[in-house]
Amino acid sequence: KGRARGFRFSWRWRGELALDLAFTEAVPLGRLRLKGGMLGFSSLATGTAFEINCSSLTAVDLRAKSKNVVKTLLEAAGSEENLGFLVKVDVPVDVDTLAVIQLQKPAMHVLPQLVMDLVTAGLSSWQHCTFRNDRAQVIVSAPPAAQPDTRGYPGAPGESGSSKEPPANDKRGTRVQVNFVDGCFRIAEKWAEPTEHFEFAGSVMIHIMVHAEGIRIERFDLEGGALRLRSARRSLTTLCPCLEWIVRGEQRRVDEWARMKRHTSYELRSVIIPPYQIRMSARDHHAMANSLLELLSMDAESAEPASETASRDPLALQLVENRLTLTAEVAIEGAEVQVMGEEGGHEWPGLRAHARCPLLLVTVDSRQGSAPTVNLFGQELEVDLWSHNHRLGIWEPVLPSCGWRFSYHTQRKPDGGPRDVVVRADVKAIKPVKLLISAPFVNLASRVFKESSSDMNYGHLLAGINISGLPCQVTVEDGSEGLVLTSTRQAQPLDGLLKGRGRGGTATQPCLLLSLVDYPDAQPCRVQLGREVDIPWDTNAVGCLVCRLVMPRPPQLVLVISSTVCVWNKTPTDLEVRFLAPSYEGTEAARKGLQPVLPSAACRCLDARLLNEGVMSQAEALSLSSAASSEAVSSVDAKAGSEGAIRLGAGQILSAPAEAQLRMGQAVLQMRPALAAASGVSYEWSDPFFSVPVSSTDANAIPVCSAPPASMKDALPRHWLYVRTTSAGGPEEGWSNVEVQAPFTIVNACPCDVLCRLSPPVKRTKLGKERERLPVEPTDRMELVVDDGRGGEVYVPCNGQAEVLPLRLDEEGCFRWTCNGKHGRTKPRWRSTNCIIAVLNGRLAEVEWHCFQAVMGSDAGAGEQLRIAPQSLLPAFDTVAEDLTVSFALRDTNGHATSWSLPLQAVTSKRSTTELVELEFKGMWLNLNAMRNGRELVVYARWWFVNSTGLDVRLLQPGGGPGPMHPVACFGSKVCFLPEIRNDAGDGVAFVGLRSHVPVEARVPDVGGAEPVNVTPLHPCCLRTESVALQEVMRGVPSCLISLVPSIMLFNHAEQNLEVGIRQIDCPTDTAVWVPPGRSRALWWSSVTDQRIQVATRQIDNVTA
């Protein structure tokens, strides 16, 4: 007696349940497909509860008329822990009604009108419910009821015991909580062509309180959000890794039935946008603006019939005035926008802008049939604008950080029509503003905003490469999401882990937590993002690994997981590598030696370009793979042969197997050329090389040699390699990179072929010797460094000797030297001295200078000549290279060769990086430059010249033969070497002249600049200087391209069948220049007077032969 009475109902289904939603049978809206769900209902003395859930939900658009092509509105799929779709409504007796709608990982195509119609249909159904509970009521306190047992059925609210008893007078309402957990919301650029979507990913939490006076927005937040670009033509790209907002506010509606008026007001008292960073091209910025406009244009007309509106809201069809007001206080805590560009398949930063506005007041007042009144006010707006200088690699300010106050007001014109408006804007700088407009910025802006950047392929913000052979789980610290990084040579995107993290303006960076999938008890590794770092990882299960975080193309980060010993093949040919380890099996004699390691799994190789050029996008990877398919070398996973041989391709990095690591960073290995690189000849293995982590990069650099087979030792040379170990940390905690290089490599960075000879004969004629006292005290620790006059220095050991070849005397016939920090200068008696042998006597503190005149032997060009193609390299494997010399020559387009230069030492202890190469051709001297980069010698020319005018213009050079000027020889098909001639002011000059005309002198402009040149009074031109983009191995070469171009260019951007003609005024018609559609032509004057132009057009169809 007195026991609570009630009932419970539950129904489950395994298959798919379809629910059609419609206002009426003639006006369908959509269909819900619920798979594997449950429907429950309970009615107890404490209240009523309703619940429906399912494992997956699909919502489909069934409207007859709509502009959208995509008909799937929503897809949500849950997991074993969380249901995909859940609706739970609790209607208690004494507290507010609570309705919870939750979706797990929903993928939603935003169709605003369909969503509004569905919400309207739901609210209309709710308003007709008898248990609706949002009216002001007076509640009489009553003793708490007994708590019945729910036995697994949906419980009524009050059964939890957490609700508090309301006061006597309480405004009852309905709380609605809509939670989109870890979802993505897509908006298309065009309803009819949904090939590209901008995707907002994250968790959207919408919590509102519906009561008799209106709606209170308790929470409208985007948590852990990100902005992505999903395209059918491009791979999924993260544009903004952290995008969040926080919204609080209220909505109220006042109806005046007597006057048929309605006033709806939205007061967003707190709209906070935390700091964020976004990168997009100019086209994608425009596309996103179009997407938002398309969203506002709605996907269809409202499907609600008038009869349904009349039953739901009778006043809506009789309104005389419908007023809407919006008041919002917005705080933009920080925003960084990068406008990206693209060139050569790679993205690059162009413009970067920062903005921050602590308080932005927005008010909108709109009446039906009239123009709205809009007010914007910003008390303090901080902005700055920067442009990226690609030649210098730095950001240059355009608009330094400055503060502004602004206001904007628009309203209906008092004496105008309903849609006539008056606009007033006021912008005022808080402090003086500095604006810096430079030529590189103007050029950059024109390139960034051009249409050719429409299909930009963005790189991943975070990518992972695992070549350790062990699958790793990568998660963000304090996060639930994770990705498995399988052991493969391909890069895997990890942008999804940055969702809602890496917020701009914050000091802390997210941390990655790495763990081994197959070894749950292994020790994890923590890697903090934000900078390049190398972290040893002691797993305590399968040995040691290394986690490297590199930044090849900022802001892109690449996580590389490998063993503590990696072998990097820097040679242009394939190699074979074999690891050795002590054997613990077999006889005692066998256990004493090192045996080949046979890895249990395939070893992973990594293309080193990923660490230097960054992880490519999907389109770049496809183009690269198609180009690489024609090559003989493939980058598949290396597999060990019967002898433990692992093939290592050119430019690849091999991670040593776990069985080969003796200790952290230590392994024993052997090398030899691959069969394909040695023309099918199987060379013997080299002597074992022991990799030990050291701090110095050259301390343990040694040459290793592979001998040919015994039967071919007299016919084939030995194969030499140069091996060094680079590492970080000491022997106990460091990892090692074994870098394999050719003993010597010549790199041709010129635009033409370069001829070279190794160790050519040199004829030395002794001129005499001189003895000189040094300005130091006698000692056995004397150091003498001789300047060769070409940018290099030669070290002379104490009580030893060294040769300085070639030597260049200065204008006074002297060469310079330094002894124990004291500088000196010596003037030989023989002005023709170009080679000296310095003999240093430390006990007497004196030096003997043996002077020679060195010339190339008569048979210098008779031996074997090697030709190096333009922009290519030549490795030398058949020599140790310490005693190797090299000489260079060029051949012009007519087949005539220059003289051979004096030989340069291939590997030297000189502290310089650049040397001069002098060549003589037809009585004139031609200078090239040789830059040393370790064991690479890069040959280049500083200035390249090309004639792009279409005229017979020649590049001239003074002196060297009869006549004042001589044409400069052309060694390439179109490119010449511009002689480095300077005027009295020290500026570089060029002499150009039209054939049969007097040559003119022009100053060579700086990089990025231009200089006007009037070749003749009728032929205005200009010189333009640009830097030359070379390959990775040639970076750092200061080569520039000087182009002679017309000063006046004509471009036809008219219709396709319209040809444009331009001529000088009062000149014959046959002098007109006709430009076809989409083409360009140069304009030359026909007279030196009245240089004005006339323009005419003609249809191409009317042009006769």
Side-chain angles (χ1 to χ4, degrees), residues 658-672:
E659 302 92 329
Q661 300 181 67
L662 304 181
R663 296 176 62 183
M664 179 176 289
Q666 299 183 14
V668 180
L669 62 153
Q670 294 176 302
M671 284 168 286
R672 68 180 180 184

Side-chain angles (χ1 to χ4, degrees), residues 770 772 809-810 813-817 824-828 847 849:
E770 293 182 344
E772 185 173 359
L809 304 179
D810 59 15
C814 303
F815 64 89
R816 301 178 183 275
W817 47 265
R825 191 172 67 163
T826 300
K827 182 176 182 180
V847 59
W849 309 106

